[in-house]
Amino acid sequence: MAPDGSGFAWLNRDEVAVADVKSGQTRTFATPLSNSGFQSLTGGEPPIGWSGDSKSVWAAKQEVAYPSHFPLSGLTLMRLAMDGSTVPTSLKPSPAGPLDAVQWIRNSAMALVQVGTNGSFYRPPHADPAPELAMIDAAHGQVLDRLPLSSLRSFNQRKAGFDARFSIAAATAVVKAGRIRSVVTIRNQDGDTWVRWIQGSPPIEVASPFGKERRNRLVLVPSGKQVLNTRELQPDGVQIICEAWSRNCPKVPPPKPRTGPLLEFRDLDTGKVLWSISTTVKDFWNGGILEVNPDGHFALMSWPEKKGGVVQAALVDLNKGAVAQFFPLGVSGGEAGFTAKGNEVWTQVTNVISIYRRS
């Protein structure tokens, strides 16, 4: 959502759609991207974000092959203005290779980008001898800091042939006192590593508290001192997804409930868990939502338990370490986040947008 609450932006197939809250009108910008989901560092969030003044949306454009959607070129970062104009940024090409993925830092022109890592997915494929991460200021076309992946011990410990793209499992960043603070998860066969990287400072590598555990999401609070992480707790069993009309869907035993920690709040310096929320998960679910509000007092997350067959988003009080409220999404889920002031929650289910005030 725009910082001033005036609009919503989302990726709609090969276009970026922007809806005006007051008028209900939607404007679309043609910014072709591959459907592979590889344009985001996390692999789950679309490569779009609002500017701090709410007058434009930062996005990315890429030449792709049809119908395969394999990329033909690196990403070009764009400013999509609310007057309908589209302006590419002046970011210079990197010697490390094409721009492969971007993660915008909320309500700013700054981002974490991934360079020279996706060569095997291009057509034609190409080698990436020097993959790197970078911190950028798109508004001024500047690279603020670079991190060659070869400088990381955790990256160099990978087994031969392990693709650089899949080495980056998750990333989160905030801007504090004018500098970007980030935590990047480097995936390795022997266990993941957290790389704490502050703009202008050397990276610090520490063992991930998750070890080899996968499918975890994390987000930094605005102070950059604590990190909130979900553990996508799933029941024991086999999940088979079939079309509703299918008559040949194999039958499997129902999943067995599983109890454990679902959300953890950690001190970044010590790695100590300050508090955690546990629950019992009875059915398979998708933990796609995790966001902290601007003042760092509340968080929104996907909740594994449906109510009346409807997926819920949970509002968590970070000071108390407890769920304070639930918000309905849809039968198969939806999106949710905070407005600029953080005292309201928005949800988007298909093309319906709702705004709730915290109770």
Side-chain angles (χ1 to χ4, degrees), residues 14-32:
D14 287 346
E15 297 178 326
V16 173
V18 180
D20 183 273
V21 171
K22 290 184 178 180
S23 68
Q25 295 182 340
T26 300
R27 179 189 297 274
T28 57
F29 298 83
T31 55

Side-chain angles (χ1 to χ4, degrees), residues 109-322:
M110 297 182 183
L112 289 177
V113 297
Q114 193 171 291
V115 183
T117 60
N118 292 13
S120 60
F121 296 97
Y122 282 77
R123 293 297 179 268
H126 62 260
D128 287 319
E132 69 175 18
L133 294 173
M135 297 172 172
I136 66 163
D137 179 348
H140 298 92
Q142 295 179 342
V143 175
L144 304 173
D145 205 351
R146 297 182 184 276
L147 178 59
L149 294 181
S150 61
S151 68
L152 299 176
R153 180 188 68 257
S154 52
F155 182 80
N156 291 324
Q157 289 175 341
R158 302 168 308 142
K159 293 181 179 179
F162 196 73
D163 197 298
R165 170 62 185 89
F166 298 109
S167 298
I168 303 172
T172 178
V174 297
V175 179
K176 182 67 175 177
R179 290 203 299 170
I180 298 175
R181 297 169 180 252
S182 68
V183 176
V184 179
T185 302
I186 300 296
R187 176 163 293 167
N188 198 306
Q189 295 91 334
D190 298 325
D192 293 350
T193 297
W194 278 5
V195 179
R196 295 171 53 193
W197 180 30
I198 299 176
Q199 180 185 335
S201 301
I204 299 173
E205 298 179 71
V206 296
S208 166
F210 306 135
K212 295 183 179 181
E213 185 181 335
R214 305 302 191 208
R215 300 183 72 184
N216 298 295
R217 294 175 64 86
L218 64 152
V219 61
L220 279 170
V221 300
S223 68
K225 295 181 179 180
Q226 294 90 26
V227 63
L228 188 69
N229 67 266
T230 58
R231 307 184 83 125
E232 196 166 333
L233 188 68
Q234 299 288 354
D236 292 322
V238 177
Q239 182 183 28
I240 297 179
I241 300 175
C242 288
E243 299 292 344
W245 46 263
S246 176
R247 297 180 179 179
N248 299 315
C249 189
K251 293 183 178 181
V252 296
K256 295 181 180 180
R258 187 178 173 196
T259 301
L262 185 68
L263 186 70
E264 297 172 330
F265 194 51
R266 294 177 180 272
D267 180 271
L268 201 54
D269 286 333
T270 64
K272 180 181 177 181
V273 177
L274 304 177
W275 53 256
S276 65
I277 295 176
S278 296
T279 191
T280 297
V281 178
K282 300 177 182 179
D283 203 355
F284 297 100
W285 65 292
N286 180 20
I289 299 170
L290 184 63
E291 183 177 334
V292 175
N293 78 333
D295 63 17
H297 293 161
F298 290 90
L300 268 176
M301 67 170 295
S302 302
W303 193 252
E305 185 177 350
K306 294 183 179 180
K307 183 177 182 180
V310 173
V311 177
Q312 302 177 92
L315 179 73
V316 179
D317 187 322
L318 298 184
N319 295 320
K320 298 178 179 179

Side-chain angles (χ1 to χ4, degrees), residues 51-53 56 58 77-79 87-91 104 108-111 136-144:
S51 62
D53 60 8
S56 58
W58 293 104
L77 303 183
M78 315 286 293
R79 183 198 289 267
V87 181
T89 66
S90 57
L91 195 67
W104 298 101
S108 76
M110 297 182 183
I136 66 163
D137 179 348
H140 298 92
Q142 295 179 342
V143 175
L144 304 173

